Every structure is written in structure tokens, then in C-alpha cells.
Amino acid sequence: MNLTISGHHLDVTPALRNYVTTKLDRITRHFDQVVDVKVLLTVEKQKEKQRRQRAECNIHVKGNDMFAESAHADLYAAVDELFDKLDRQVVRHKDRVQDHHHAAPKRLM
């Protein structure tokens, strides 16, 4: 799995990088066929401080690409909300990919 964490208008500290990777473990626990993950953390220069911190993520899994974004006043809260959204998408994708058909019982004659 390739992981890219980048920041726009901010430095990605080791604590922030560690926080993102621990949140990413939750997604890989649900679906282990993750190929590529790109996380972009941004501080926007808005006058209102409420939704200034943004987190975006692109995930390439086997058979699909997923994207989610989140904005919040706190960057850690934005990352939490981002990975909640991605977790729901990954679980839904896994449910679609799985084969839900049961094998027909063999007849004994």
C-alpha cells in the first residue's frame, strides 16, 4: 500500500502523520485490498474560522476509486470525519464485491 500525506499551507508534523496512519488502520482492517492512499491536509484562508481546516483523501482499492473530503475548525476533527466517511464507503464497496450466493446443496441419490 502506497501512502502519501501532503499539506497545503501547513507543515505535516510527525504527530499529525501518526494520527492519520492510525486512522487509516481502521480502513485497512475492514478491507485489506487497498492499493494507494493520498491524503491532502489544507488550511484555507477564509474569514470565517469555522470550516477553515480541510482534509481530503483519494483511495484506490481493487476495483474502485473513492474520494472524500471534510472541513472543520480543528484539523484532527476534520481527519476524524474524513475517515468516518471513507470507512462507510469502503464497507459498502466490500459488501458489493462479496459473493452473497450460497452454494446449492448437492443431492444425494
Side-chain angles (χ1 to χ4, degrees):
M1 175 179 72
N2 298 326
L3 174 63
T4 305
I5 301 172
S6 57
H8 192 255
H9 295 291
L10 84 143
D11 294 327
V12 181
T13 62
L16 193 56
R17 183 177 302 274
N18 187 24
Y19 189 73
V20 169
T21 55
T22 55
K23 289 293 182 176
L24 186 64
D25 289 340
R26 190 172 84 184
I27 290 176
T28 57
R29 184 177 62 221
H30 285 146
F31 192 69
D32 59 347
Q33 297 175 351
V34 177
V35 177
D36 189 30
V37 178
K38 293 178 183 172
V39 179
L40 177 64
L41 306 172
T42 311
V43 175
E44 294 181 348
K45 299 188 178 195
Q46 295 178 346
K47 291 185 179 180
E48 58 188 48
K49 304 281 184 189
Q50 294 173 353
R51 300 240 175 229
R52 191 172 165 196
Q53 314 283 336
R54 285 189 49 188
E56 301 176 3
C57 186
N58 285 320
I59 292 184
H60 177 71
V61 297
K62 185 178 176 185
N64 200 2
D65 288 334
M66 297 176 208
F67 174 78
E69 64 182 348
S70 172
H72 204 273
D74 181 29
L75 189 58
Y76 287 97
V79 169
D80 285 339
E81 187 177 321
L82 171 77
F83 281 104
D84 286 342
K85 291 179 182 180
L86 283 172
D87 192 37
R88 285 192 297 270
Q89 288 183 16
V90 166
V91 168
R92 189 174 341 127
H93 174 72
K94 183 179 177 181
D95 191 42
R96 287 180 186 157
V97 171
Q98 281 181 341
D99 186 22
H100 292 287
H101 300 288
H102 297 291
K106 293 185 180 180
R107 295 184 183 186
L108 299 175
M109 290 191 187

